[in-house]
Amino acid sequence: MTDGDDPVIVGNPSDTALSDQLLSHTWQPLSRGWKLAFAITGAGTLMLLYMITLTVLRGIGMWGNNIPTAWAFGIINFVWWIGIGHAGTFISAILLVLEQQHIRTSINRFTEGMTLFAVVQAGMFPLLHLGRPWFAYWLFPYPSVMDMWPQVRSALPWDAAAVSTYLLVSIMFWYLGLIPDLAGVRDRAPTLRRRRVYGVFALGWSGSVQQWRHYKIAYLTLAGLATPLVVSVHSIVSLDFAESALPGWHSTIFPPFFVAGAIFSGFALVVTLIVPARRVFKLYNVITPRHLDMMGKLMLVTSSIIAYSYICELFLAWWSGNRYEMFEQLHERPFGFYAVGFWIMISCNCLITQLLWSRRIRRSAVALFIIAAFVNVGMWLERFEIIVVSLTRDFLPSSWHQYMPTYVDICILAGTLCFFGLLFLTFLRLVPFVPVAELKELKREEEHA
Amino acid sequence: MSSLKLSRRSLFKLAGAASLAACSSRPARQILPYVKQPPELVPGVAQYYATSLVEDGLATGVIVEAHIGRPTKIEGNPDHPASLGGTRAIEQAAVLGLYDPDRLQDITERGAPASWTAIDHALGARGRMHVLLEPTTSPLVIALIERVRAAGIGVSFWSPFERRESLAGNAIALGRPLQTQLDLGNADVIVSLDGDLATDLVAARQAADRRRVVDASSAISRIYAIETGPSPTGIIADHRWAVRPSDVARVAAGLLRGNGELPWIAAVARDLKRAGSRAVVVAGERQPSEVHALAAQLNAASACVKYIEPVVFEAGQPSHELPDLDGIDTLVILGGNPAYTAPAFSGRIAAVQTSIYLGLYANETAAACQFAVPAAHDLERWDVARGPDGTLSPIQPLIQPLFDGRTVADMLHAILHDRPQIARDELAAAWPKWSAMPFDEALARGAVPDTAAPHVEVKPREIAIVPPQASAPIELAIRPHPFVYDGRYTNNPWLLELSEPITKLTWDQAVQLSPATAASLGVATGDVIELEAFDRAIAVPVVIVHGHAENAVTLHTGFGRMGTEAIARGIGANAFVLAGAHGVRITRTSRTHELAFTMESPWEHGRPVALGGTLHQLATHDLELPHGPEPTLLSPMPRSGPQWAMQIDLTTCTGCTACVMACAAENNSPVVGKQQVKNGRDMHWLRIDRYIDDAGAMVVQPMACQHCENAPCEYVCPVGATTHSPEGLNEMAYNRCVGTRFCSNNCPYKVRRFNWFDFKTHDKLRVLGANPNVTVRDRGVMEKCTYCVQRLRRAEIDATVQHRALAVPQTACQQACPTRAIAFGRLDVEIAELRRRPHSYAELRDQGTRPRTQYLARIRNPNPEIT
């Protein structure tokens, strides 16, 4: 059986059955597991708030950053989270534009939600890591009475613009896609209160042909807008490093390298989220081995691009003959103080992913989940290697200084994971997480095909 | 209190007197703000006063900058022969010492508040009295001492590091305890036997003046350093050998014989002979008298050594030993801290019935004495002292004593029951006895010329001097800490946070030993070891120092303070406990101690840093130095006005770190504390990079913002907070900085400093020492060297207002530098010639930054006989 023959919807559920299956979780009683998870992530979120308060109140010195390592956990977490977001946009926008609905439809709501919540986590860090976060708005071009504008040769104002654009487009795209399903909940919810609340958010959706026509145009237009963002946001993020002169950062391959890494890590997190959700909500009929297979393949492709980039970095460092580059890439990263991180990174991002050549592993939810977990770790470590290891060993040995995260650093990272989880749990509870309307549409198309 | 028997009547008498007497020993003339402002006093414009700071009786002339009556900055007095315009870090930090909130603020009796009347009463008690002073040169105090002695009161002097051995050595070699005066300005060959050419401001300047390389034809002197642990002297030396303390005497004897066990001794001896009268052997004060005697014999033909009668009163005489206090009823200790610097002495103090201590702090001696009286700081008092060459140096106050401090003269007057007089009047009245120069003129100059002690013509005796054979498996060298000295400056946070020149250690004491010795003992940096001698042991952490002699350890004094000084207390152990020991027994402990270094790696890692070569290489064009601008695609920054630039001469830089302290004092750099230094967050704009080069020699390189013409920091700032001025300065607008720290990441020199917390001082007293012309930075902003832009602007404003050409100002680091290694000025005027020199180079030139601060490579003049 080839992949093309594989069904994207197992069985032949009726429209009513699909609606019942995929919408009812918004009104059914809360499960104990959900409550427990919510409590844990909620507590973690409170801890995050406490750590943020501590940082803002006492100063950024609560983090482990120093001179020379002026950027560390904050920026690592930022790049990691923003990278994760990319897979969502890739799946929901690029696959839509490329008319790949058959593999997109069941999972795009998940990935859009993940994007949104990841960007929320990511967006906190550029703000928090500032010495004076209350002046963060100075990075935006606003007409100040002092006639002061951002300094546009720096990548950072562009970064601020790119990330905020990304957040706005992601919210709009996600919400627009939600409208028909919110209307579905409105129509089916058992209580009046729910029907009213969802009715407000459904914005008067009636499912008329005219509404569908406008909706489709708007959705595709937003997808078209979001598509270049997949490339541009992380390219600009990569310029935060590539535009500097620091060995380990000063590299022209960064934009494509970062974009590939972003999609790679994003798919890893999609798998990390979808596999348990698939099991908990028994979505075996709409999230099929074919979807898993597709994500496995994309992880393999992006992993290969990443591996190629690593080799490029090493080769170019040697080829440059530049003593600082060579020391950084050929000595400090593989054999220096943080060498363990480097080898874990290589193992997670390049070696373990080689298992994905096997079709059986690609189609095994458990195997895929484990590989994806490794990739999540590996991609975080990649940013650690790039940011921290480059900074701790720059030009003059006199300024070399080891970096160690503080408890605040670690709690903030853990806290964002919890906050992400909290948002995701809320999402699973309140919103139809598989696009029902689109699934029905796809079912019809498959039937006609 | 049992000693004080009071009847009810006398108690009331005393209480009444105490309430009337206002606790003052002499009428004071108030120093108050002006009601009518004199024309020369303009708010925002500093006043400068010449005065002297005194250490062990010897004066260093300084110019103190004051803003509306409060001293804020200290510079060397160029007219003073002990300063020549330079200062050590200690002088730079004296301002913070003045504004130290831990200073003794009230007269106390056993820690409880007391009145001056109680002191007067104690001084008036019958019985035998003894006065213990710090060594003094003040003719005012000496006259009083003579009157005190005439009254049958014993007087002696004590300071742990005063010149003792050199006088004793000269007594052996010359027959009299004469004081050695070096004149290194004419020295072609200098052999330092554990000598101190770097922190002695005059020797440092004279030696440096003979080592300014213009081109390959420059005839620079040759310096040999023979020492136990590396020192700034070893850093500037052309040859350096690490020997155990006991071997120094054998080296000296070998030099005199012309040969020795070590192969290089004969070559050095020949070099000394060749140089004839232009050769000099400098023996360090911590060496035994025999080494000094041998040095005197070696210097028999030298024109670079003169002898004078000791400047310090009764130096080298028995009165400079600690008294045994038998039968003494009242002991008066005026300054110093003998209970700490001579631990055995504190027991003797306790046995005395009445003891009075005059000091700046409630330190160990204050705790051992019955009464403690706050002393006036050097910046609060009238006095006079002599420089090391005998030059008369007046001391004038910059500020009303903050805590009603008394002077030594006040106390001696009180002992003599003199009628109190105004201190300035007393000094002015006595002045004509010492100098023909009018008092006011002397005050203005800070030093009276031609009052140096006359040279004594004397020839060394032809006697055989047997070097001491004392030796131990592990030898001990106790040395004063370069910044906290004998512990008197340990409560100064500026000095504690200053990176020690050799170890780069801050906020701590550590025992230095060589890598091989450490390996044989099985210890590493940070491990705590116990040093034991005379059945007394102290526990100190280890710091491994490359270039230290094998089987020997160096230990700094000044730590293990047990007084009430909040900052000094609890750091390290008292090295004076082991004073006098030649060797120590070392026991490992299982403990480790966290040490805060400002540098992690001592190695150059093959990087082109702190470059240098030999004079021969310079002549044969064998020295490849990166200079000249790298090509760039960027259009040049617009230029107008003077183009500021700096050139630092690594040949004469000793790494003494005075410039770093001066920079911090001028630019209100905060103190961040040990933990933050350890975290890599020290805030000094200027640092001294110290490396071990491929040859194993220690090299130093001052590093501050290089003011790059193509500055990598500028283009990455998202808000334009760091920009380029038309004068070539890389400027920081603190108020615009949001603290992304991208600029620091992109700085190849990592000279930017970030306010991770609110680091600025909030102490009401300490803020008085801040420079009002420099913004105090808030938390969350980046900062760095500005080329002392406040001084540049002041000079420009003065030139504009007075319609005259711009007088190029000095930066703080440049002004403090004892060896004048730092040059600052306009790129096309003052710096132009330096830039053209063949050994000028730009650090990290290959990064295309085009730094405005460049270096003159370190040029050595090694003896071709020694390879």
Side-chain angles (χ1 to χ4, degrees):
Chain A
M1 192 164 66
T2 63
D3 289 351
D5 305 331
D6 226 359
V8 285
I9 303 171
V10 176
N12 190 10
S14 68
D15 285 359
T16 318
L18 271 179
S19 293
D20 282 343
Q21 180 194 356
L22 299 172
L23 295 179
S24 60
H25 65 92
T26 58
W27 60 75
Q28 275 166 357
L30 293 166
S31 74
R32 188 178 291 176
W34 189 94
K35 281 182 187 163
L36 186 69
F38 191 86
I40 292 168
T41 54
T45 307
L46 287 177
M47 175 191 70
L48 174 69
L49 285 175
Y50 175 70
M51 291 299 162
I52 289 172
T53 312
L54 213 58
T55 304
V56 175
L57 221 56
R58 294 205 192 147
I60 193 67
M62 296 304 291
W63 297 8
N65 301 39
N66 56 32
I67 303 290
T69 322
W71 288 355
F73 262 46
I75 302 297
I76 296 169
N77 297 344
F78 162 67
V79 179
W80 188 64
W81 278 116
I82 200 92
I84 280 168
H86 280 62
T89 321
F90 183 87
I91 288 172
S92 54
I94 293 189
L95 294 187
L96 183 73
V97 171
L98 299 178
E99 300 196 331
Q100 299 295 310
Q101 274 83 344
H102 57 287
I103 50 170
R104 167 190 184 269
T105 300
S106 300
I107 56 170
N108 76 328
R109 182 74 40 77
F110 263 113
T111 59
E112 283 162 26
M114 184 195 77
T115 296
L116 201 57
F117 306 141
V119 174
V120 167
Q121 310 308 320
M124 273 191 286
F125 287 103
L127 211 76
L128 281 181
H129 102 115
L130 293 182
R132 305 199 292 172
W134 43 92
F135 292 128
Y137 66 95
W138 288 356
L139 268 75
F140 291 95
Y142 70 100
S144 93
V145 287
M146 308 283 281
D147 203 20
M148 284 295 291
W149 297 95
Q151 203 277 106
V152 294
R153 288 184 302 164
S154 171
L156 299 185
W158 298 99
D159 204 9
V163 173
S164 41
T165 307
Y166 192 45
L167 182 67
L168 288 176
V169 171
S170 297
I171 290 175
M172 288 193 287
F173 193 58
W174 179 70
Y175 191 72
L176 195 66
L178 259 177
I179 289 174
D181 288 349
L182 289 174
V185 180
R186 175 198 61 194
D187 296 345
R188 291 182 164 268
T191 63
L192 183 65
R193 215 184 66 184
R194 274 176 211 280
R195 287 202 289 272
R196 281 200 174 143
V197 171
Y198 282 95
V200 169
F201 286 102
L203 302 177
W205 179 263
S206 64
S208 71
V209 175
Q210 193 164 3
Q211 277 186 341
W212 272 114
R213 191 174 152 264
H214 290 308
Y215 171 84
K216 282 285 177 190
I217 293 169
Y219 198 53
L220 202 61
T221 310
L222 269 178
L225 278 175
T227 299
L229 287 180
V230 175
V231 180
S232 70
V233 173
H234 226 56
S235 296
I236 290 173
V237 168
S238 81
L239 293 181
D240 295 353
F241 310 99
E243 82 158 343
S244 84
L246 189 76
W249 289 13
H250 183 68
S251 168
T252 47
I253 68 163
F254 264 30
F257 168 39
F258 266 54
V259 172
I263 294 169
F264 181 44
S265 62
F267 274 112
L269 200 70
V270 170
V271 170
T272 315
L273 295 173
I274 261 184
V275 168
R278 181 173 178 257
R279 172 165 291 194
V280 170
F281 295 102
K282 312 225 166 13
L283 302 172
Y284 302 109
N285 58 336
V286 291
I287 299 172
T288 65
R290 185 157 167 208
H291 289 105
L292 301 179
D293 189 64
M294 180 273 295
M295 287 188 281
K297 279 180 184 166
L298 271 165
M299 275 166 66
L300 184 58
V301 169
T302 43
S303 162
S304 306
I305 300 175
I306 292 287
Y308 174 72
S309 303
Y310 292 162
I311 294 165
C312 271
E313 276 201 305
L314 294 173
F315 172 76
L316 288 174
W318 172 76
W319 184 250
S320 71
N322 181 310
R323 56 158 75 82
Y324 311 110
E325 288 285 346
M326 283 164 76
F327 182 82
E328 175 61 33
Q329 300 281 4
L330 305 176
H331 179 271
E332 199 51 36
R333 286 195 193 168
F335 309 114
F337 185 78
Y338 302 104
V340 176
F342 177 83
W343 293 110
I344 296 177
M345 172 193 90
I346 293 284
S347 311
C348 292
N349 293 352
C350 308
L351 301 181
I352 293 172
T353 50
Q354 299 309 314
L355 293 171
L356 294 169
W357 288 104
S358 153
R359 184 182 153 90
R360 253 184 64 206
I361 286 178
R362 284 203 304 273
R363 290 175 162 257
S364 153
V366 173
L368 211 55
F369 179 80
I370 292 169
I371 292 172
F374 278 115
V375 171
N376 287 324
V377 173
M379 283 308 293
W380 191 91
L381 284 171
E382 181 199 289
R383 278 62 178 251
F384 182 89
E385 289 296 312
I386 291 173
I387 293 167
V388 168
V389 181
S390 306
L391 282 170
T392 51
R393 294 283 180 272
D394 71 331
F395 296 94
L396 300 181
S398 61
S399 42
W400 292 0
H401 200 285
Q402 236 52 278
Y403 166 79
M404 273 297 162
T406 63
Y407 73 96
V408 179
D409 282 308
I410 290 162
C411 288
I412 285 183
L413 173 60
T416 54
L417 287 169
C418 288
F419 186 33
F420 178 85
L422 185 80
L423 291 172
F424 208 81
L425 285 167
T426 314
F427 161 79
L428 289 179
R429 171 66 186 166
L430 296 180
V431 174
F433 49 75
V434 175
V436 187
E438 285 179 56
L439 205 62
K440 291 173 189 165
E441 185 188 335
L442 181 66
K443 190 167 74 88
R444 292 282 187 282
E445 280 175 16
E446 298 270 302
E447 282 163 12
H448 289 293
Chain B
M1 291 296 285
S2 61
S3 61
L4 218 72
K5 290 205 174 60
L6 283 177
S7 68
R8 188 187 58 87
R9 279 164 92 54
S10 54
L11 177 77
F12 275 101
K13 262 190 224 162
L14 274 173
S19 59
L20 289 170
C23 309
S24 187
S25 61
R26 54 163 60 174
R29 211 170 253 176
Q30 297 279 307
I31 302 177
L32 292 171
Y34 291 101
V35 177
K36 256 191 194 163
Q37 185 176 297
E40 73 273 10
L41 193 82
V42 181
V45 178
Q47 279 82 49
Y48 297 89
Y49 295 93
T51 183
S52 304
L53 298 177
V54 180
E55 191 175 272
D56 292 344
L58 299 173
T60 305
V62 293
I63 307 277
V64 185
E65 178 181 333
H67 286 272
I68 320 284
R70 61 190 170 84
T72 59
K73 180 76 171 66
I74 288 177
E75 305 291 358
N77 183 351
D79 294 334
H80 194 279
S83 158
L84 306 175
T87 48
R88 300 172 302 165
I90 289 172
E91 281 82 35
Q92 290 291 337
V95 170
L96 205 67
L98 168 72
Y99 298 117
D100 189 343
D102 288 341
R103 276 176 62 184
L104 182 57
Q105 303 194 3
D106 299 293
I107 296 171
T108 58
E109 181 178 0
R110 301 262 174 244
S115 71
W116 177 257
T117 319
I119 305 290
D120 246 352
H121 186 84
L123 290 174
R126 287 203 193 81
R128 279 186 62 200
M129 186 186 279
H130 192 92
V131 182
L132 176 64
L133 298 97
E134 285 189 285
T136 183
T137 56
S138 162
L140 186 80
V141 171
I142 292 168
L144 288 169
I145 288 170
E146 270 155 7
R147 285 181 53 212
V148 168
R149 280 228 174 100
I153 297 168
V155 176
S156 50
F157 307 89
W158 168 256
S159 184
F161 291 125
E162 66 169 316
R163 295 182 201 211
R164 239 178 236 110
E165 299 297 337
S166 60
L167 298 178
N170 287 345
I172 299 170
L174 310 171
R176 271 198 290 159
L178 294 173
Q179 182 182 321
T180 309
Q181 280 298 97
L182 297 173
D183 178 14
L184 301 180
N186 292 317
D188 286 344
V189 174
I190 301 169
V191 178
S192 161
L193 297 172
D194 200 16
D196 186 4
L197 298 179
T199 47
D200 176 339
L201 296 172
V202 181
R205 171 71 68 82
Q206 289 173 344
D209 282 342
R210 285 284 291 107
R211 293 177 68 78
R212 301 204 195 275
V213 179
V214 177
D215 54 35
S217 66
S218 298
I220 64 169
S221 68
R222 180 173 296 141
I223 299 178
Y224 299 92
I226 291 116
E227 55 189 9
T228 301
S231 77
T233 311
I235 284 171
I236 53 166
D238 300 294
H239 292 281
R240 173 184 179 274
W241 294 284
V243 300
R244 308 205 315 155
S246 66
D247 290 335
V248 176
R250 281 199 283 279
V251 170
L255 288 174
L256 195 62
R257 278 199 312 275
N259 61 58
E261 304 116 76
L262 296 159
W264 42 266
I265 291 180
V268 178
R270 279 196 295 280
D271 211 19
L272 275 175
K273 192 153 270 173
R274 266 198 301 276
S277 68
R278 298 174 74 86
V280 59
V281 177
V282 182
E285 195 52 57
R286 306 277 81 74
Q287 286 301 316
S289 54
E290 289 83 357
V291 173
H292 289 274
L294 286 163
Q297 290 185 331
L298 279 161
N299 287 331
S302 175
C304 309
V305 174
K306 303 278 189 295
Y307 298 99
I308 58 173
E309 294 293 344
V311 171
V312 171
F313 180 62
E314 293 184 351
Q317 294 180 29
S319 65
H320 278 251
E321 275 159 26
L322 283 169
D324 60 18
L325 303 182
D326 280 346
I328 300 293
D329 301 302
T330 307
L331 173 66
V332 182
I333 302 174
L334 303 180
N337 187 4
Y340 165 77
T341 57
F345 189 66
S346 58
R348 280 189 250 169
I349 299 173
V352 176
Q353 193 179 27
T354 308
S355 49
I356 301 167
Y357 173 63
L358 173 80
L360 283 168
Y361 295 97
N363 54 20
E364 293 85 341
T365 308
C369 290
Q370 184 184 358
F371 293 100
V373 181
H377 191 270
D378 279 352
L379 297 174
E380 295 173 333
R381 67 191 181 100
W382 288 100
D383 199 353
V384 58
R386 290 187 185 278
D389 66 345
T391 297
L392 208 56
S393 319
I395 300 167
Q396 58 175 326
L398 269 288
I399 192 168
Q400 179 88 358
L402 294 169
F403 307 119
D404 200 18
R406 307 299 204 283
T407 64
V408 170
D410 291 342
M411 297 299 286
L412 293 174
H413 277 302
I415 290 169
L416 292 163
H417 306 291
D418 286 341
R419 222 188 62 199
Q421 38 179 331
I422 288 169
R424 186 187 193 279
D425 294 351
E426 182 190 10
L427 192 62
W431 187 262
K433 283 190 275 186
W434 314 316
S435 164
M437 180 183 270
F439 182 55
D440 287 343
E441 194 186 333
L443 280 182
R445 297 182 67 126
V448 184
D450 307 321
T451 47
H455 297 152
V456 180
E457 286 307 320
V458 61
K459 282 272 164 252
R461 299 189 286 189
E462 298 276 330
I463 54 162
I465 292 155
V466 186
Q469 294 299 316
S471 176
I474 301 270
E475 291 190 13
L476 171 69
I478 293 179
R479 297 286 179 268
H481 188 278
F483 305 140
V484 308
Y485 197 57
D486 60 358
R488 69 182 72 183
Y489 307 120
T490 316
N491 205 52
N492 192 315
W494 279 2
L495 292 172
L496 282 176
E497 190 151 306
L498 205 55
S499 184
E500 200 271 332
I502 302 303
T503 58
K504 294 280 129 195
L505 180 65
T506 63
W507 285 100
D508 250 313
Q509 176 192 37
V511 57
Q512 304 176 18
L513 36 87
S514 74
T517 307
S520 71
L521 293 166
V523 292
T525 295
D527 289 350
V528 177
I529 57 173
E530 243 172 37
L531 305 171
E532 193 196 338
F534 317 122
D535 297 325
R536 294 190 291 261
I538 57 171
V540 189
V542 164
V543 59
I544 293 175
V545 172
H546 297 270
H548 196 283
E550 308 298 339
N551 298 320
V553 299
T554 300
L555 186 62
H556 281 152
T557 59
F559 299 96
R561 297 289 319 281
M562 298 299 284
T564 57
E565 298 104 305
I567 293 165
R569 200 179 158 84
I571 304 174
N574 187 355
F576 287 114
V577 166
L578 306 178
H582 291 291
V584 279
R585 263 208 315 286
I586 292 182
T587 353
R588 274 174 61 186
T589 71
S590 54
R591 281 170 289 156
T592 58
H593 183 80
E594 274 202 330
L595 297 171
F597 297 96
T598 57
M599 263 180 84
E600 285 191 346
S601 167
W603 309 110
E604 292 185 340
H605 295 271
R607 310 282 166 105
V609 291
L611 297 176
T614 63
L615 211 52
H616 179 73
Q617 282 176 310
L618 197 63
T620 54
H621 304 285
D622 196 19
L623 213 55
E624 277 183 27
L625 292 169
H627 56 83
E630 278 267 282
T632 178
L633 293 171
L634 301 174
S635 49
M637 288 285 178
R639 288 184 178 192
S640 67
Q643 297 301 305
W644 301 113
M646 184 177 274
Q647 193 89 16
I648 303 175
D649 186 354
L650 301 183
T651 310
T652 50
C653 175
T654 65
C656 74
T657 318
C659 51
V660 180
M661 193 77 278
C663 174
E666 170 75 15
N667 293 302
N668 298 333
S669 293
V671 171
V672 298
K674 177 179 170 180
Q675 195 52 47
Q676 295 303 324
V677 173
K678 197 171 156 39
N679 289 354
R681 294 168 177 178
D682 52 308
M683 294 301 284
H684 290 144
W685 289 356
L686 171 61
R687 61 174 200 257
I688 309 289
D689 289 352
R690 180 272 285 126
Y691 300 104
I692 314 287
D693 70 7
D694 297 338
M698 204 170 263
V699 293
V700 290
Q701 179 171 36
M703 182 57 67
C705 176
Q706 306 279 296
H707 292 274
C708 307
E709 289 178 3
N710 291 337
C713 51
E714 289 168 9
Y715 74 86
V716 298
C717 176
V719 291
T722 187
T723 51
H724 217 74
S725 89
E727 298 180 349
L729 303 187
N730 172 252
E731 294 179 326
M732 262 310 296
Y734 304 124
N735 280 350
R736 180 67 181 165
C737 179
V738 297
T740 67
R741 308 185 291 282
F742 202 173
C743 53
S744 170
N745 289 344
N746 209 27
C747 174
Y749 309 97
K750 289 287 178 286
V751 290
R752 293 179 152 258
R753 297 287 174 262
F754 188 70
N755 289 274
W756 301 96
F757 290 108
D758 181 13
F759 282 140
K760 61 180 181 286
T761 181
H762 293 277
D763 186 282
K764 285 200 174 75
L765 197 57
R766 287 222 165 99
V767 292
L768 295 178
N771 183 351
N773 293 331
V774 177
T775 309
V776 174
R777 281 79 61 187
D778 217 331
R779 111 157 128 98
V781 302
M782 193 60 81
E783 58 180 74
K784 54 152 207 98
C785 161
T786 62
Y787 271 170
C788 286
V789 68
Q790 65 280 5
R791 295 186 176 201
L792 305 183
R793 294 289 170 263
R794 168 54 53 198
E796 287 167 3
I797 291 165
D798 287 349
T800 311
V801 170
Q802 296 163 19
H803 301 290
R804 58 168 172 75
L806 177 70
V808 172
Q810 287 183 302
T811 63
C813 53
Q814 175 193 22
Q815 192 165 8
C817 180
T819 63
R820 292 286 169 264
I822 302 174
F824 177 78
R826 288 161 293 189
L827 192 57
D828 51 351
V829 188
E830 291 83 7
I831 302 300
E833 187 273 326
L834 295 165
R835 271 301 138 87
R836 281 197 300 273
R837 290 187 186 177
H839 59 310
S840 168
Y841 79 93
E843 184 77 357
L844 299 180
R845 171 185 171 272
D846 56 357
Q847 294 305 305
T849 50
R850 299 193 177 180
R852 274 286 171 87
T853 296
Q854 295 194 7
Y855 296 88
L856 293 174
R858 182 171 185 278
I859 302 299
R860 286 169 206 250
N861 178 23
N863 185 345
E865 281 186 65
I866 303 166
T867 47

